[in-house]
C-alpha cells in the first residue's frame, strides 16, 4: 500500500531564531569558526552526527531546545552578530572589473566534476574537488565574479570501511538534498530551473540546485527526477561511478548541460574555466551555440569560444586523462557533429593528438587544449611535464614553446587552519589575516609569534589528533567485531608527545604509500626507539576499481596490527575533510613520497604548512619549487632526479628517506632547550609560515588566474564579438589565409660574425632573408632562438630575441636584422625562426605554425 500524500514534519523555529536558516544556507560556515561554534552549541552531538550540516541539524533539534534557545539572550546576541557579519561579508567589497567589459557579462563559469566545499556536501573525492572548493572560497573572499557548475550526486563519493582482514569496501549513502545547504535554483522569471539536452538521440532533463558559497553561487545539475528513465536518473548517482559509457554521459551533462544551464539561469558570460578535461564538452557546446545563434561558420565560432576559455590540466598520469573509443563517440556524437556541419572524422580530430589517425581514441584533454587559448598545469614542474605530454598537438614547436603554462595551486587558509592556530594568528598577524592572507606583509609577522606560544599551540593540536585517532580507531575496530582487549588498547594507542608523521592521500600506486615499509629493519629501529619515539598515521581511499591501491592499504593495516607496531602505527578509515583537518593540524611532519614527476601538485602538504606542520617529500609537485636546499623550510627526499627504473628509484629514495629521518628530522624534533622547546624545529615552522603563507594560498592562485587568464580572456572575447563578430570573422579569414600560404615562407641566408668565440658583452648583429610571398611583413615575426647547448648540441635553455624588418621586400624577399646577446660565459648556439602574428591573435603559438631557418 502506498501513501496518498507525502509530507515532512520539522520543528518550528521561534521567530527570534529564524535567521538561523539564513546562516545555514550559505556555506560561509565552512570557513567561519564563529558560525560553526554557534551551530555546534545548539546540540554538539547532533552537530557531529550531521557531518557539520546546519540544515540537517535545524531539522532535527527538539522543539524544547529551540524554545530554550529563544529565551537565551546570550545565544540570540551571538546569532544577531553572525547574521550581521554574513550580511557585511556579502555586501562589503566591490567585484573585480575586467576592463571595458560590462559587469553582467564578466562572470567566469568554473566547470568541475567535483567540488569539496564542506564536509556535509559529499560531492568530492580528493584533491581535484578540494582544490575546486578552495577556488570558489577564494573567489568569494576576493569577490571575483565567478560561479561554479557541477553535478549533484545522490550518493556522492563512496564512504570507506574495511573488512576484518583490511580490504577496502565501499558504501554509498542516500543523500537528501533538501537536508543539505542547497536549494532549487530559479530562472529569472522565478520558475524552478531545468535543463533539457540530448544524450545521443535520447532526451535528458536535469533540475538545477544552487549552493551559496559566500558570495559565489555553485549550480549543480541533478538527473534523478521522474522525467528521466532509470538509467539516466543514475547519471548523477555516484561520483566516478559506473562504466566508461556512464563517464561519457556524466561529462556530456557537465559540459553541454552546464552551458545550457547558464542560458536557463540567465547568466551572460564571456569566460569559462574548465577544471580538468571532464568538462571539455563545455567548450564544444559554446562553439555550437555561437554557430546556431549568430550564424557563424565553425572556424569563426572556434575563434570566439576559445578566446574566452581557460583549461587547467591536473594529472601527469596518462590514465587520468579520459579517452573514449571512436565507436562510443559515434553513438553519442554523430548527430551532434552533423548539427555543427562537421564530418564525423573532422569532429573526432578535435579530440586527437593526430587527427589523421583513425584508430586514436577521443581524448577530453586534447579537446580542451584545442578549444582554449589559456592552458595551464598546476605547478611549475607539472607545467613542464604537461608540455612534454601534449607536445604532439603542436608538433613543430620545441617543448618549451608548447602553449601550456603553469599556475601553482594554493589552499584556502581560513578553511584549513585549525581554530587554535587561527586564534594565535589573530593575536600576532592581526584580525585581517583571513582576508589578506596572500600578503607577504601579513605572513611576515609570523616571525614575531613567541616560540613557546607557537609550540604549545601545536602540542595541543597533536594531543587533539591523538584523541581523535583513538575514538575513530575504537569505533572502526568495534564495527569489525574486535575483542574487548583490542578496544581497550585502542584507547591508549599513540603517544601525544611523540614525533608524529602523517601520510594521507588517494591510494594510487605511484604515491608509494608503503615505501617506508620496504626497509623493515630501519622501520623497526625508528619505531622501537623508546627515547625518541616516532609514530605514523595513515589515511586514504583507493578508487573502487584500483585493486593495487587496495592491496597497499591492506599491507599497511596488516603491519599496523602486529604487536611491535600496533601502538605506533594507525590506519584511519574513511578519509574525508574532517580526518584531513585533524591530521594536517596535529601531525609534526607531512610525508609525501610520490614517484617523480607523477604528482601534479599535492596540496595536502600546503594545508599542513599553514598549521605549522613541516613537509618531508620527494621534489615533485609544489615542493619542487618550494623546497630550499638548506632544509630551512622542510626536507626533501632526493634531489629531484628522474629514473627510468622505478625499482631502482624506490631503493635510492628509500635510503635517502631514512637517512634524512634519522640524521636530521628526529634529532631536530627531540633536541630541546629550556622549557622543553625544540628551538631549531620551531624556527623552521615560523620560516615556513613566512615564506609559504603568501605563495601557496588560494587567494594568490585566484588572483593569478584573474590577471593572467580571466581578464585577458574576457577582454579578448569581447573584442572578437564586437560589431556582430566582425573581428572574429577577420581573424578566422586571416587564419585560413596564413595557413594556406605559410608553406611558401622560407628563412634563408642567416649571417653573423664568423668567429667561434665571443666575449661577454659582445652583441653581434644577425641578419636573415625571408621569402614572404604574398604574406604581409606585419604578419610575420622573426626571432633569434638562442640558448645554452648540451653535449648533444640540443638547447638546454632558450631566449627569444626579436629581429626587425629593414627596407622594403624585393621579389618577395624581406631582410631582417637582430642583435645576438652574449650575456654570460658558456657554450651557446642560435638559430632563426618565423612565427605568424596578428593583432587579434592572443598567442602566435595557437596556430601551430613555425618555420625554422633553412627548413
Amino acid at each position: 500500500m502506498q501513501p496518498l500524500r507525502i509530507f515532512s514534519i520539522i520543528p518550528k523555529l521561534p521567530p527570534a531564531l529564524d535567521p538561523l536558516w539564513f546562516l545555514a544556507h550559505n556555506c560561509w560556515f565552512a570557513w567561519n569558526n564563529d558560525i560553526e561554534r554557534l551551530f555546534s552549541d545548539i546540540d554538539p552531538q547532533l552537530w557531529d552526527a550531521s557531518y557539520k550540516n546546519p540544515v540537517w541539524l535545524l531539522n532535527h533539534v527538539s522543539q524544547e531546545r529551540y524554545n530554550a534557545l529563544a529565551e537565551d539572550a546570550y545565544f540570540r546576541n551571538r546569532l544577531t552578530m553572525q547574521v550581521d557579519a554574513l550580511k557585511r561579508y556579502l555586501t562589503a567589497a566591490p567585484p573585480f572589473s575586467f576592463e571595458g567589459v560590462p559587469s553582467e557579462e564578466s562572470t567566469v563559469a568554473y566547470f568541475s566534476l567535483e567540488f569539496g566545499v564542506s564536509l556535509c556536501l559529499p560531492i568530492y573525492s580528493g584533491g581535484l574537488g578540494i582544490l575546486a572548493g578552495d577556488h570558489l572560497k577564494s573567489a568569494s573572499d576576493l569577490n571575483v565574479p565567478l560561479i561554479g557548475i557541477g553535478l549533484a550526486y545522490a550518493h556522492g563519493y563512496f564512504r570507506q570501511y574495511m573488512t576484518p582482514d583490511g580490504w577496502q569496501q565501499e558504501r554509498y549513502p542516500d543523500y537528501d538534498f533538501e537536508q543539505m545547504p542547497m536549494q532549487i535554483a530559479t530562472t529569472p522569471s522565478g520558475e524552478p530551473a531545468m535543463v533539457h539536452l540530448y544524450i545521443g538521440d535520447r532526451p535528458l532533463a536535469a533540475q538545477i540546485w544552487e549552493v551559496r558559497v559566500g558570495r559565489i553561487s555553485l549550480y549543480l545539475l541533478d538527473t534523478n527526477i521522474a522525467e528521466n528513465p532509470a538509467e539516466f536518473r543514475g547519471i548523477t548517482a555516484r561520483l566516478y561511478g559506473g562504466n566508461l559509457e556512464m563517464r561519457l554521459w556524466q561529462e556530456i551533462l557537465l559540459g553541454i548541460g552546464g552551458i545550457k544551464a547558464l542560458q536557463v539561469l540567465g547568466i551572460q558570460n564571456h569566460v569559462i574555466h574548465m577544471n580538468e578535461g571532464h568538462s571539455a564538452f563545455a567548450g564544444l557546446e559554446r562553439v555550437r551555440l555561437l554557430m546556431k545563434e549568430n550564424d557563424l561558420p565553425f572556424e569563426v565560432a572556434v575563434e570566439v569560444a576559445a578566446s574566452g576559455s581557460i583549461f587547467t590540466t591536473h594529472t601527469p598520469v596518462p590514465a587520468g586523462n579520459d579517452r573514449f573509443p571512436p565507436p562510443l563517440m559515434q553513438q553519442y556524437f554523430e548527430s551532434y557533429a552533423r548539427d555543427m556541419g562537421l564530418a564525423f572524422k573532422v569532429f573526432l580530430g578535435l579530440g586527437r593528438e593526430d587527427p589523421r589517425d583513425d584508430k586514436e581514441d577521443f581524448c577530453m584533454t586534447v579537446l580542451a587544449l584545442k578549444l582554449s587559448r589559456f592552458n595551464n598545469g598546476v605547478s611549475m614542474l607539472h607545467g613542464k611535464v604537461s608540455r612534454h605530454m601534449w607536445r604532439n598537438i603542436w608538433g613543430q614547436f620545441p617543448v618549451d614553446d608548447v602553449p601550456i603554462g603553469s599556475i601553482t595551486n594554493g589552499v584556502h587558509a581560513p578553511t584549513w587552519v585549525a581554530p587554535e592556530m587561527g586564534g594565535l594568528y589573530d593575536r600576532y598577524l592581526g584580525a585581517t589575516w583571513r582576508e589578506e592572507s596572500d600578503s607577504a606583509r601579513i605572513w611576515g609577522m609570523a616571525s614575531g609569534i613567541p616560540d613557546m606560544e607557537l609550540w604549545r599551540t601545536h602540542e595541543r593540536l597533536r594531543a587533539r589528533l591523538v584523541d581523535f585517532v583513538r575514538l575513530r580507531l575504537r569505533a572502526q575496530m568495534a564495527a569489525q567485531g574486535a575483542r574487548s582487549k583490542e578496544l581497550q588498547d585502542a584507547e591508549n594507542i599513540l603517544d601525544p608527545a611523540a614525533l608524529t608523521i602523517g601520510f594521507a592521500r588517494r591510494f594510487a600506486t605511484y604515491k608509494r604509500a608503503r615505501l617506508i615499509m620496504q626497509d623493515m629493519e630501519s622501520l623497526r629501529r625508528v619505531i622501537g626507539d623508546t627515547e625518541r619515539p616516532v609514530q605514523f598515521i595513515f589515511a586514504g581511499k583507493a578508487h573502487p576499481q584500483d585493486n593495487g591501491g587496495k592491496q597497499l592499504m591492506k599491507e599497511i593495516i596488516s603491519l599496523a596490527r602486529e604487536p611491535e607496531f600496533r601502538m605506533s602505527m594507525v590506519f584511519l578509515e574513511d578519509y574525508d575533510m574532517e580526518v584531513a583537518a585533524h591530521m594536517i593540524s596535529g601531525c609534526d611532519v607531512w610525508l609525501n613520497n610520490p614517484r617523480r614527476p607523477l604528482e601534479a601538485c599535492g596540496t595536502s602538504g600546503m594545508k599542513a604548512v599553514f598549521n605549522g606542520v613541516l613537509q618531508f617529500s620527494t621534489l615533485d609537485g609544489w615542493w619542487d619549487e618550494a623546497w630550499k636546499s638548506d632544509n630551512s623550510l622542510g626536507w626533501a627526499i632526493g634531489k629531484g632526479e628522474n629514473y627510468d627504473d622505478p625499482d631502482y628509484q624506490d631503493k635510492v629514495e628509500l635510503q635517502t628517506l631514512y637517512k634524512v629521518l634519522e640524521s636530521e628530522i628526529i634529532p631536530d624534533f627531540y633536541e630541546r632547550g629550556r622549557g622543553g622547546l625544540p628551538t631549531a624545529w620551531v624556527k623552521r615552522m615560523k620560516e615556513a609560515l613566512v615564506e609559504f603563507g603568501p605563495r601557496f594560498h588560494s587567494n594568490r592562485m585566484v588572483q593569478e588566474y584573474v590577471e593572467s587568464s580571466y581578464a585577458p580572456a574576457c577582454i579578448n572575447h569581447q573584442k572578437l564579438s564586437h560589431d556582430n563578430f566582425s573581428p572574429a570573422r577577420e581573424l578566422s579569414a586571416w587564419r585560413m589565409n596564413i595557413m594556406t600560404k605559410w608553406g611558401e615562407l622560407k628563412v634563408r641566408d642567416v649571417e653573423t660574425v664568423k668567429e667561434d668565440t665571443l666575449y661577454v658583452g659582445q652583441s653581434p648583429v644577425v641578419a636573415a632573408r625571408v621569402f614572404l610571398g604574398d604574406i604581409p611583413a606585419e604578419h610575420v615575426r622573426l626571432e633569434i632562438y638562442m640558448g645554452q647547448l648540451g653535449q648533444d648540441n640540443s638547447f638546454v635553455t632558450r631566449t627569444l630575441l626579436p629581429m626587425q624588418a629593414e627596407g622594403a621586400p624585393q621579389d618577395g624577399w624581406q631582410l631582417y636584422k637582430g642583435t645576438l646577446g652574449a650575456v654570460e660565459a658558456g657554450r651557446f648556439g642560435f638559430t632563426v625562426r618565423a612565427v605568424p602574428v596578428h593583432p587579434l591573435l592572443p598567442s602566435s603559438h595557437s596556430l601551430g605554425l613555425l618555420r625554422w631557418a633553412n627548413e
Side-chain angles (χ1 to χ4, degrees):
M1 183 175 64
Q2 296 295 314
L4 293 175
R5 186 180 173 193
I6 299 174
F7 52 89
S8 299
I9 301 174
I10 62 174
K12 180 176 176 58
L13 267 68
L17 302 184
D18 199 59
L20 284 168
W21 290 114
F22 173 62
L23 296 180
H25 279 101
N26 192 309
C27 288
W28 198 44
F29 64 77
W31 71 99
N32 185 295
N33 295 328
D34 291 333
I35 295 179
E36 182 176 319
R37 279 193 292 268
L38 183 75
F39 283 119
S40 176
D41 288 348
I42 293 174
D43 190 319
Q45 290 183 329
L46 272 184
W47 179 245
D48 288 340
S50 74
Y51 288 102
K52 298 185 177 180
N53 180 349
V55 175
W56 187 94
L57 174 80
L58 295 182
N59 283 326
H60 288 79
V61 173
S62 70
Q63 193 66 52
E64 291 79 9
R65 178 58 176 159
Y66 278 135
N67 294 338
L69 288 172
E71 299 298 322
D72 186 337
Y74 177 64
F75 184 86
R76 293 199 312 272
N77 288 338
R78 290 172 63 198
L79 173 58
T80 300
M81 290 176 59
Q82 296 314 312
V83 168
D84 290 345
L86 177 54
K87 289 179 178 178
R88 286 195 303 271
Y89 176 83
L90 295 176
T91 58
F96 273 83
S97 60
F98 301 143
E99 180 183 350
V101 180
S103 58
E104 66 272 13
E105 299 176 5
S106 297
T107 302
V108 177
Y110 183 92
F111 288 73
S112 183
L113 203 57
E114 51 176 300
F115 286 91
V117 174
S118 166
L119 181 68
C120 66
L121 281 173
I123 54 172
Y124 67 93
S125 71
L128 176 70
I130 298 298
L131 181 278
D134 283 3
H135 195 109
L136 297 191
K137 292 171 184 177
S138 276
S140 173
D141 289 344
L142 298 171
N143 211 5
V144 174
L146 181 143
I147 62 168
I149 301 288
L151 304 185
Y153 303 102
H155 307 297
Y157 197 53
F158 71 89
R159 309 300 304 198
Q160 179 195 59
Y161 68 97
M162 299 298 181
T163 61
D165 66 346
W167 190 257
Q168 174 182 289
Q169 297 291 302
E170 301 86 29
R171 60 182 178 87
Y172 293 87
D174 289 316
Y175 294 111
D176 182 354
F177 295 154
E178 293 185 356
Q179 296 283 344
M180 293 181 172
M182 50 199 291
Q183 296 174 307
I184 291 290
T186 56
T187 65
S189 62
E191 298 295 319
M194 293 281 293
V195 165
H196 293 86
L197 64 155
Y198 281 87
I199 299 287
D201 58 357
R202 301 173 63 191
L204 172 69
Q207 62 184 351
I208 306 174
W209 295 86
E210 181 181 9
V211 178
R212 295 294 299 167
V213 185
R215 302 180 179 111
I216 301 296
S217 287
L218 168 60
Y219 295 104
L220 303 174
L221 279 63
D222 172 19
T223 64
N224 187 22
I225 55 177
E227 189 173 336
N228 291 320
E231 63 271 27
F232 280 1
R233 294 183 68 168
I235 290 177
T236 55
R238 298 178 179 179
L239 173 59
Y240 302 132
N243 57 16
L244 193 63
E245 185 176 43
M246 177 59 76
R247 176 66 66 87
L248 180 61
W249 291 358
Q250 289 185 333
E251 296 184 0
I252 290 172
L253 176 63
L254 175 64
I256 297 176
I259 292 295
K260 291 182 179 295
L262 297 177
Q263 294 181 305
V264 169
L265 295 165
I267 298 171
Q268 301 180 37
N269 78 304
H270 290 336
V271 179
I272 65 170
H273 184 170
M274 295 175 285
N275 189 45
E276 193 55 282
H278 308 132
S279 52
F281 290 138
L284 197 62
E285 178 67 3
R286 290 229 298 176
V287 172
R288 192 191 69 83
L289 288 177
L290 283 164
M291 295 173 67
K292 294 296 181 182
E293 296 176 354
N294 302 283
D295 194 27
L296 296 180
F298 173 74
E299 293 79 10
V300 177
V302 168
E303 292 291 350
V304 178
S307 72
S309 296
I310 294 96
F311 170 57
T312 300
T313 176
H314 281 265
T315 176
V317 180
N321 297 276
D322 289 340
R323 296 178 185 269
F324 301 107
L328 186 63
M329 289 298 297
Q330 185 171 12
Q331 181 180 350
Y332 291 105
F333 278 94
E334 189 169 33
S335 60
Y336 190 94
R338 191 182 309 116
D339 187 50
M340 298 178 72
L342 296 180
F344 189 66
K345 182 175 180 179
V346 174
F347 176 88
L348 287 178
L350 295 171
R352 286 171 167 166
E353 295 180 60
D354 181 0
R356 298 164 297 181
D357 184 356
D358 293 339
K359 295 181 180 179
E360 184 180 337
D361 286 345
F362 188 95
C363 178
M364 297 295 283
T365 302
V366 173
L367 177 66
L369 288 168
K370 289 184 177 181
L371 295 183
S372 301
R373 294 290 178 261
F374 302 87
N375 302 308
N376 68 276
V378 291
S379 68
M380 292 174 64
L381 178 59
H382 181 229
K384 180 179 179 180
V385 171
S386 297
R387 288 189 287 275
H388 277 272
M389 281 184 69
W390 306 110
R391 63 188 182 276
N392 291 339
I393 301 174
W394 296 271
Q396 288 187 303
F397 283 91
V399 170
D400 287 344
D401 289 340
V402 169
I404 302 176
S406 64
I407 295 178
T408 301
N409 283 341
V411 299
H412 188 247
T415 295
W416 297 106
V417 168
E420 295 87 344
M421 195 65 74
L424 191 66
Y425 296 161
D426 287 340
R427 292 195 295 277
Y428 294 101
L429 276 59
T432 62
W433 70 268
R434 291 172 178 83
E435 290 76 28
E436 300 182 41
S437 43
D438 61 319
S439 164
R441 180 187 63 83
I442 291 290
W443 286 100
M445 290 190 286
S447 60
I449 300 174
D451 289 1
M452 187 63 75
E453 197 166 351
L454 177 61
W455 182 245
R456 293 301 180 226
T457 301
H458 176 69
E459 286 194 311
R460 287 194 295 273
L461 288 170
R462 190 193 313 115
R464 187 187 71 162
L465 170 63
V466 170
D467 287 342
F468 175 79
V469 169
R470 289 171 175 174
L471 287 172
R472 288 287 290 245
L473 185 62
R474 193 182 195 286
Q476 69 188 48
M477 291 174 65
Q480 295 169 1
R483 296 172 300 176
S484 58
K485 175 64 169 61
E486 294 172 322
L487 297 179
Q488 290 175 0
D489 287 346
E491 295 175 358
N492 296 297
I493 208 162
L494 302 183
D495 179 352
L499 172 62
T500 304
I501 299 177
F503 182 100
R505 52 192 33 85
R506 184 166 56 89
F507 264 65
T509 50
Y510 75 86
K511 294 178 184 283
R512 300 189 296 182
R514 64 177 305 276
L515 181 64
I516 62 164
M517 301 175 192
Q518 294 181 23
D519 182 354
M520 290 302 299
E521 180 181 350
S522 296
L523 182 60
R524 287 189 175 93
R525 183 172 61 248
V526 166
I527 283 186
D529 188 341
T530 56
E531 294 185 1
R532 300 188 304 179
V534 178
Q535 56 198 15
F536 294 87
I537 303 174
F538 292 87
K541 294 179 177 178
H543 187 279
Q545 298 174 6
D546 182 5
N547 287 332
K550 291 182 179 182
Q551 181 62 33
L552 289 177
M553 281 186 288
K554 187 176 184 297
E555 292 173 7
I556 291 172
I557 292 170
S558 176
L559 184 67
R561 289 173 177 171
E562 292 186 8
E564 60 184 316
F565 296 112
R566 65 182 179 185
M567 302 304 289
S568 303
M569 184 177 290
V570 174
F571 181 91
L572 290 180
E573 287 182 5
D574 206 21
Y575 184 47
D576 60 11
M577 293 178 74
E578 182 180 21
V579 175
H582 282 85
M583 289 187 64
I584 56 142
S585 60
C587 290
D588 300 295
V589 173
W590 199 253
L591 177 63
N592 187 32
N593 42 241
R595 190 171 281 124
R596 176 187 164 105
L598 299 179
E599 182 88 288
C601 186
T603 53
S604 63
M606 297 178 187
K607 300 178 184 77
V609 161
F610 274 101
N611 286 283
V613 176
L614 298 180
Q615 181 84 0
F616 182 31
S617 174
T618 50
L619 292 180
D620 202 3
W622 77 283
W623 194 237
D624 181 69
E625 62 195 79
W627 175 72
K628 287 188 175 181
S629 58
D630 61 0
N631 290 332
S632 60
L633 304 173
W635 298 272
I637 302 170
K639 297 182 179 179
E641 306 92 341
N642 290 330
Y643 298 84
D644 295 328
D645 183 347
D647 292 332
Y648 181 72
Q649 181 177 0
D650 289 357
K651 180 179 179 180
V652 171
E653 292 180 346
L654 180 61
Q655 291 176 343
T656 303
L657 187 157
Y658 274 109
K659 179 180 179 182
V660 174
L661 180 61
E662 294 186 89
S663 65
E664 297 186 45
I665 296 176
I666 295 174
D668 276 7
F669 182 84
Y670 284 107
E671 186 175 333
R672 306 298 173 96
R674 292 187 61 183
L677 183 71
T679 305
W681 191 277
V682 175
K683 184 173 184 290
R684 277 195 181 88
M685 292 170 67
K686 292 166 69 170
E687 289 185 1
L689 288 172
V690 170
E691 178 75 19
F692 296 151
R695 290 176 60 189
F696 298 110
H697 194 293
S698 53
N699 282 14
R700 183 274 312 155
M701 174 188 72
V702 171
Q703 285 178 322
E704 200 169 333
Y705 274 110
V706 168
E707 295 164 5
S708 69
S709 303
Y710 294 170
C714 195
I715 294 167
N716 288 349
H717 190 282
Q718 187 195 42
K719 285 180 180 178
L720 293 183
S721 304
H722 183 67
D723 191 20
N724 193 29
F725 300 96
S726 293
R729 296 176 195 272
E730 174 194 336
L731 180 59
S732 178
W734 173 83
R735 176 192 285 263
M736 297 296 290
N737 184 57
I738 201 79
M739 294 188 76
T740 300
K741 295 179 178 178
W742 191 256
E744 303 172 7
L745 188 142
K746 299 177 180 62
V747 181
R748 297 285 189 270
D749 304 330
V750 178
E751 296 180 354
T752 187
V753 294
K754 293 183 170 53
E755 292 87 351
D756 292 333
T757 301
L758 301 176
Y759 293 98
V760 173
Q762 280 188 267
S763 301
V765 173
V766 175
R769 291 200 315 140
V770 180
F771 181 73
L772 298 172
D774 294 332
I775 303 175
E778 63 266 25
H779 289 162
V780 176
R781 182 172 70 234
L782 216 65
E783 301 170 330
I784 301 171
Y785 188 102
M786 175 183 173
Q788 287 185 312
L789 301 179
Q791 292 183 347
D792 60 353
N793 288 338
S794 63
F795 286 96
V796 177
T797 63
R798 72 107 160 92
T799 301
L800 299 177
L801 305 169
M803 302 181 72
Q804 307 297 329
E806 297 206 351
Q810 296 182 2
D811 299 326
W813 288 89
Q814 174 69 56
L815 178 65
Y816 286 81
K817 288 186 178 180
T819 301
L820 192 69
V823 294
E824 58 181 298
R827 185 167 174 267
F828 287 81
F830 82 91
T831 185
V832 174
R833 71 180 191 180
V835 294
V837 291
H838 189 280
L840 294 172
L841 192 68
S843 169
S844 58
H845 296 167
S846 63
L847 270 66
L849 298 177
L850 189 67
R851 182 71 68 199
W852 295 99
N854 301 323
E855 188 175 49

